Amino acid sequence: MTGVAAGPADTGPAVALPAVGPGPGEADWAAAVAAVRGLPADARVLLICHVNPDGDALGSMLGFGLGLRQLGVRRLQATFPGPPEVPEPIRGLPGMDLLVPEADADPAPELVVCFDAASESRLGGLVDRLETAGAALVLDHHASNTRFGGINLVDPRAAATSVLAEELLTRLGVTLDAAIAECLYVALTTDTGSFRFEATTPAVHELAARLLATGIRPGDISRRVFDTRPFGAVRLFGEVLCRARLEPLAAGGHGLVWTYATLDDLARHDQRPYVLEALIDSVRCTAEADVSCVVKQVRPAEWAVSMRSKGAVDVSRVAVALGGGGHRLAAGFTGRGTVEDVVAGIRTELDKALIEA
Ligand code: AMP
Ligand code: MN
Ligand code: MN
């Protein structure tokens, strides 16, 4: 997600989802604690988060890594698949020294821990570590999670993966310090849209209180992570928002608003692709549409698609049908062909999702 630069990557699951299974049981927590506590003194541990990391993916991973370091784990690496570029807004997170490029990641660590990835496909070329590692632990909160680890701490009701990371750290006896807290706070605010989304429960605010009690500065963090972007990105947003289309009859009359951005748009404004992650937050404001969508060119005929819903449509169904995944109110997939091809596919799947609902 992600809305790394400005707000929500994952809205997290909305409340009252009937299909959502229970979170981890005591046996799962005990297995996860044992997997860490049972590591030999010189054990190699590899942390992996999903491709194109957002605030929750990177923040959960680095916060957990700093916690492991506090416990004395020394041979520790954090990584993610694909280009080793971290979006500017989250580049200043504590624990960045743990990060290594995919190519340098340990081929056979004693323990691998995966963060915020709903399925193996989100691990790209690092997926083989699930086989080569001594044990594989998965921390995630996507309803569509396929439980691909040997130990799975998956809670679809959790607002962010960082909620699970903090609980495991606490069970391991780690003391929250300001560095760990900053990572987990960025993760939590990213996925709750700064406490605006439905998954913002009392427990989320209690977690935020524990994190803030370490002395981290929420104003500074939010300005850096959500409210800062280059002037070129401001102008690029203006252009891309101007070409947005509203289709009130789409999605069974609930309405669709969408826009797109090309590689040429990025080049003209001298911007990196991650600046576009925040665009969906401007598009989804549209009152006349339940569903919003931003189609971002990745390669000539390949597009990263972000979708949001206000509740009438389950966009994760649309995303899954088109080869992606996500949550009921925030989902995405990789589209092929022209922009029109991609949007045509979305229109079709939106209608199907409504019929099946
Ligand atoms: P984004 O629009 O990138 O902020 O992503 C919104 C949600 O959709 C997140 O929960 C992602 O995990 C999920 N998502 C986005 N793109 C993909 C994809 N290509 N495959 C699976 N899930 C995705
Ligand atoms: Mn994410
Ligand atoms: Mn998340």
Side-chain angles (χ1 to χ4, degrees):
M1 178 117 146
T2 185
V4 163
D10 303 20
T11 60
V15 290
L17 278 181
V20 166
E26 276 308 315
D28 301 309
W29 287 111
V33 168
V36 176
R37 289 232 177 99
L39 288 170
D42 62 344
R44 287 157 299 136
V45 177
L46 179 64
L47 313 179
I48 308 176
C49 71
H50 67 67
V51 64
N52 297 326
D54 51 37
D56 187 30
L58 195 73
S60 303
M61 176 170 76
L62 296 181
F64 191 77
L66 291 171
L68 288 185
R69 192 180 260 173
Q70 189 189 104
L71 291 175
V73 177
R74 287 284 156 258
R75 301 172 77 186
L76 183 59
Q77 292 180 320
T79 192
F80 54 84
E85 183 183 2
V86 174
E88 170 69 28
I90 51 173
R91 215 172 277 167
L93 280 182
M96 286 289 284
D97 58 301
L98 294 170
L99 266 191
V100 298
E102 175 180 7
D104 297 344
D106 198 307
E110 269 81 26
L111 174 68
V112 66
V113 191
C114 304
F115 297 85
D116 206 37
S119 64
E120 290 163 288
S121 66
R122 301 283 280 162
L123 304 180
L126 291 157
V127 69
D128 67 321
R129 303 311 196 280
L130 296 172
E131 301 300 326
T132 59
L137 173 55
V138 167
L139 272 66
D140 187 40
H141 67 127
H142 291 88
S144 58
N145 188 286
T146 56
R147 269 78 174 170
F148 57 89
I151 305 164
N152 299 287
L153 300 179
V154 176
D155 188 352
R157 289 162 307 189
T161 295
S162 59
V163 172
L164 293 143
E166 193 253 2
E167 174 149 5
L168 182 54
L169 288 175
T170 301
R171 286 173 181 256
L172 286 165
V174 170
T175 308
L176 288 182
D177 59 29
I180 297 172
E182 179 166 339
C183 290
L184 299 182
Y185 188 81
V186 165
L188 191 64
T189 49
T190 296
D191 269 20
T192 59
S194 297
F195 310 108
R196 284 173 298 164
F197 299 151
E198 217 65 70
T200 309
T201 58
V204 164
H205 280 290
E206 281 156 16
L207 170 55
R210 288 196 294 282
L211 300 174
L212 291 172
T214 64
I216 57 171
R217 299 177 60 92
D220 290 350
I221 294 172
S222 298
R223 192 173 319 104
R224 205 171 63 229
V225 175
F226 303 117
D227 297 334
T228 302
R229 69 185 60 126
F231 185 56
V234 172
R235 293 178 58 92
L236 169 63
F237 275 36
E239 226 176 85
V240 173
L241 289 172
C242 260
R243 66 167 83 116
R245 311 250 188 97
L246 176 64
E247 301 184 17
L249 300 180
H254 293 290
L256 167 70
V257 57
W258 63 274
T259 190
Y260 66 94
T262 64
L263 292 173
D264 182 58
D265 295 326
L266 284 169
R268 260 184 300 107
H269 292 278
D270 193 23
Q271 293 303 304
R272 306 289 304 147
Y274 69 78
V275 304
L276 298 173
E277 301 302 307
L279 249 183
I280 189 71
D281 293 317
S282 302
V283 178
R284 71 185 173 86
C285 295
T286 306
E288 296 86 345
D290 182 80
V291 179
S292 51
C293 184
V294 176
V295 183
K296 297 162 279 192
Q297 190 172 33
V298 181
R299 271 181 270 282
E302 187 179 318
W303 307 80
V305 182
S306 286
M307 287 185 295
R308 300 291 185 268
S309 162
K310 291 177 190 155
V313 182
D314 178 350
V315 285
S316 72
R317 282 173 179 249
V318 176
V320 168
L322 294 167
H327 308 285
R328 201 168 67 86
L329 304 182
F333 68 96
T334 301
R336 319 254 170 218
T338 63
V339 181
E340 258 312 323
D341 295 336
V342 174
V343 177
I346 293 169
R347 284 190 202 102
T348 304
E349 292 303 332
L350 277 173
D351 289 337
K352 281 197 212 161
L354 281 163
I355 291 165
E356 288 161 11

